[in-house]
Amino acid sequence: MAFYSFGPVLGDHSTTFRLWAPKQGRIDILIEGRSPEPMRRDENGWHILDLADAGAGTRYCFVLEDETEVPDPASRYQPNDIHGPSVVIDAKAYQWKSPDWAGRPWAETVIYELHMGTFTEAGTFGAAIEKLDHLNELGITAIQIMPLADFRGSRNWGYDGVLPYAPDSSYGHPEDLRALIDEAHLRSMSVFLDVVYNHLGPDGNYLPLYAPIFTERHRSPWGAGINFDGDGSRAVRDFFIENALYWLHEFRFDGLRFDAVHAITDDSDEHIMHEISRRIREETNGRHIHLILENEENEASLLERAPQGKPKHFTAQWNDDMHHVLHVAATGEHIGYYADYAGDLKKLALALAEGFVYQGEVMPFRGTPRGAASAHLPPTAFIAFIQNHDQIGNRAYGDRLSASIDSIRLRALAAIYLLAPQIPMLFMGEEWGALEPFPFFCDFDDELNAAVREGRKSELARMPGFAGDADDAPDPTQLETFLSAKLRWEKRDTPAGTARLAFYKSLLELRCIHVQPLLDTLGTRPAAYEVGEGVVRVTWFAEGERRLTLMANFGDRDVQMDVPPKANVFYPRGDVSVSWMSPWTMIWFTEP
């Protein structure tokens, strides 16, 4: 079992409680049912106390000099929400059914993103277990769970967490989360967790009262930046590094998705994200651990490979560029950032062939350069999708793609991204054409709710999919908004749902047979692409003479096609004859 500087440590006869609070001269610990007891302060600002009869299940909090009672910032469980007492958890109590699980290779990965609270009617870890067989039969090999760090209230997207070590109690007990991961592993599915190291939520963040967690030297969209490079930053860095290791070791997650790393500023000799990836690689040797980025800056350097093809730092990045070009091609939307991808099939071909569309050029929507050259990276350094929580939830009404385009175009998009050599990611319910929206939702106090409500209204005018009065958009603070996002699983079994599910399953079967075997060596040299009138052709090169090719017609007229006579055509979509392709049809083939 790994050692963590933060949080209680259970011994044979006592429990050691620790709090790093250099701003406080004195800290008391308050065990439920006992009187407060002073902790011992060392020269580095750590307050420590060993207590007997304080084992698993003990409820406690820390008392600051001004009598403010605060939870443990490394609390493992908060049954009464973020302002309540923390609970001592014995991580060794759970008996794993899959003790030998070591993960799956990245090339086998098909990701399914889900939000725990809306994935099922109950919205719990236990209820999610009941849906694992569905995902397994579909062809999913990895589940990616939106952030679980404890947040204020009963509902939240997860990006407002303030206690990074505590799975939110609205989803269940930590042992229920372990059981979910265990059951996924028994079905040969990996489990990834979305973590947020760029900010803490606006309610329940007590850390600034006693530790230098923030710095005014850096700013982020959420205010002062996290102190990764100033006075006291060593302990701050360890807090987040150990958090990443904690999820991987104690819960046996198979990887992490790091939220908005472009918003993390760090002037240290070793950037915090580099140190996190290095420590994880060093301390999880022998396991398939996959580290995923969200990075608006599209920094190819974070995705570089070692000579043997293994990632030096991070495994892959969410490829927003791929989403944008496919979305624009199918919907014709050109509001906001979509305008920078409209009417240019070369950008679509570039996203397929090289990952990033903007590779150092000025992106008009931003007004600044974006990205870096990426043709040298393998396709598996990118994660492709046509929907995710951001691209749905950042629309004014949270409407899904199924509500925007016809079935022909939606199926065409699915056949492109699920068979492309980038790693595919589905968003929950997409596989049966779910129409439930996924709007932003939260549950703060009245003052914060009012601020969120007004802030949301001010953003609507520039958001995709909005035309109308801001008062018509869903109120993110209302329970009804959250409930509207819950998947209606009964829709899966309708004729339309069954047909869409069979289609997605067939694509993932084709991927497993024809595409996956190529992925380990695909990208040995840059992909080639051609763009004609409405037509895109992309070829990826694997070891030897093997290659994978997509030909797709995104135009409004028939076009001539030219497939090599010895090609293995494994997917013709739509009205494809020997020499012609109708609009919104495509063909995938391999050679030799």
Side-chain angles (χ1 to χ4, degrees), residues 496-535:
T498 300
R500 181 69 59 80
L501 186 59
F503 174 65
Y504 266 67
K505 183 176 180 181
S506 69
L507 289 176
L508 292 178
E509 288 173 346
L510 289 173
R511 178 183 182 84
C512 185
I513 295 169
H514 299 283
V515 180
Q516 182 181 305
L518 301 175
L519 293 183
D520 282 337
T521 62
L522 214 61
T524 51
R525 61 186 172 105
Y529 63 89
E530 303 173 27
V531 177
E533 188 176 351
V535 179

Side-chain angles (χ1 to χ4, degrees), residues 89-159:
I89 296 294
D90 183 0
K92 295 181 287 186
Y94 183 81
Q95 299 298 307
W96 293 93
K97 301 175 185 176
S98 56
D100 298 325
W101 171 262
R104 294 186 66 151
W106 184 240
E108 299 176 359
T109 303
V110 176
I111 304 172
Y112 189 93
E113 187 193 19
L114 63 87
H115 176 270
M116 192 56 62
T118 56
F119 180 53
T120 63
E121 181 63 30
T124 63
F125 300 129
I129 292 174
E130 300 173 9
K131 305 302 182 185
L132 293 179
D133 287 337
H134 161 83
L135 299 180
N136 197 29
E137 292 166 8
L138 172 62
I140 299 301
T141 63
I143 303 162
Q144 182 172 299
I145 304 174
M146 288 176 64
L148 299 175
D150 210 310
F151 49 78
R152 161 66 163 83
S154 62
R155 56 192 182 274
N156 196 283
W157 267 22
Y159 299 94

